[in-house]
Amino acid sequence: AVAASVAVLLAGTGTAADAAPGDPVVGAVTVNAGRDVVVGTTAGVAFPVTVTGSDDSGLSFADVDLKGPAGGFYTTDAFCESATACTTAFTVTARPAPGGDDPVDLTNTNAGKWSVDALVDGNDGGSVFAPGAGTFSLKRAARLTVNAAPEPAVRGGRLTIDGRLVRADWNTYRYTGYADQTVKLQFREKDGDTYRTVATARTNGTGGLHLMAKAVADGFWRWNFAGTATTGSVKTAGDYVDVRP
């Protein structure tokens, strides 16, 4: 139920304004290896946050806070793995396990752009706080289906391609229809290597998709959704249609 996902490479803010000479310098922050953090309705998504920087004595320890819309908040800390890099590990879930120590119960309003604050210590005891050292996107997972019919089809005849786009609802822990979204209809010939977009459709009130196309060659049909600021991208596997004379 969790789409792994698709956060971004983030430029850091450098040394905090009140840092003294000789204190550590925060350089850059990388969240989830540069991919969005995309969360479904049940299973947790684990991802690293790496803070890089420098200090004349080497970096020692980092405390990292993630802050999001509607009061979303996660925090953790870790010893640095090298003199210039400190990696912390986060696990995000829509619904924490009973008895767990995760303080965050995500709601739909938490989806969107998050910021990263970092407090970094050097081995000589110096420290620096870098608020807003980076940003990343925490998104609701999406699912998508496809069905092309009839199968087989008559060459020159009409195909009906249906589907449905749903996304994780962090309030109810279910997947619900995603209305009024643009989704690409794509086709790849049987012996081809790439899909090409042949049309676009808008989802209806329950996330449904429906388009007609001409059956011209054997091949695979799929829907491809690019995602939004709050919802991850998703595409279906190809639905093969045999086209006969």
Side-chain angles (χ1 to χ4, degrees):
V2 175
S5 28
V6 198
V8 297
L9 181 64
L10 311 159
T13 59
T15 306
D18 57 353
D23 281 347
V25 174
V26 173
V29 174
T30 305
V31 179
N32 198 31
R35 300 182 299 271
D36 294 340
V37 178
V38 183
V39 181
T41 58
T42 53
V45 175
F47 59 95
V49 176
T50 299
V51 179
T52 60
S54 62
D55 183 71
D56 53 8
S57 67
L59 301 181
S60 168
F61 192 80
D63 190 314
V64 177
D65 296 340
L66 309 181
K67 297 179 180 179
F73 181 80
Y74 289 89
T75 184
T76 192
D77 50 47
F79 287 100
C80 301
E81 66 269 24
S82 73
T84 59
C86 315
T87 298
T88 58
F90 288 85
T91 299
V92 177
T93 59
R95 177 166 52 181
D101 58 3
D102 188 340
V104 178
D105 182 1
L106 288 175
T107 66
N108 293 336
T109 56
N110 296 135
K113 187 176 182 179
W114 285 55
S115 65
V116 182
D117 294 349
L119 175 64
V120 179
D121 298 333
N123 285 306
D124 60 4
S127 65
V128 65
F129 176 59
T135 61
F136 71 99
S137 294
L138 179 64
K139 297 184 177 184
R140 297 160 62 179
R143 293 175 174 174
L144 190 56
T145 61
V146 64
N147 182 55
E151 301 177 48
V154 175
R155 189 178 306 277
R158 305 298 293 177
L159 288 171
T160 300
I161 300 94
D162 294 315
R164 187 168 184 242
L165 175 66
V166 298
R167 63 173 174 167
D169 187 327
W170 292 343
N171 297 338
T172 63
Y173 313 118
R174 297 180 179 179
Y175 280 80
T176 58
Y178 198 6
D180 199 30
Q181 299 302 307
T182 299
V183 184
K184 296 177 181 179
L185 177 64
Q186 299 181 321
F187 177 73
R188 176 172 67 86
E189 292 191 7
K190 179 180 179 180
D191 298 320
D193 296 324
T194 59
Y195 280 90
R196 58 182 176 88
T197 299
V198 297
T200 60
R202 300 285 290 184
T203 57
N204 64 20
T206 60
L209 291 159
H210 178 85
L211 276 179
M212 305 291 289
K214 182 179 290 189
V216 296
D218 297 346
F220 301 86
W221 294 88
R222 77 177 184 187
W223 293 108
N224 188 341
F225 174 60
T228 65
T230 60
T231 305
S233 61
V234 64
K235 52 180 170 276
T236 66
D239 186 15
Y240 182 73
V241 174
D242 179 23
V243 176
R244 300 178 180 177

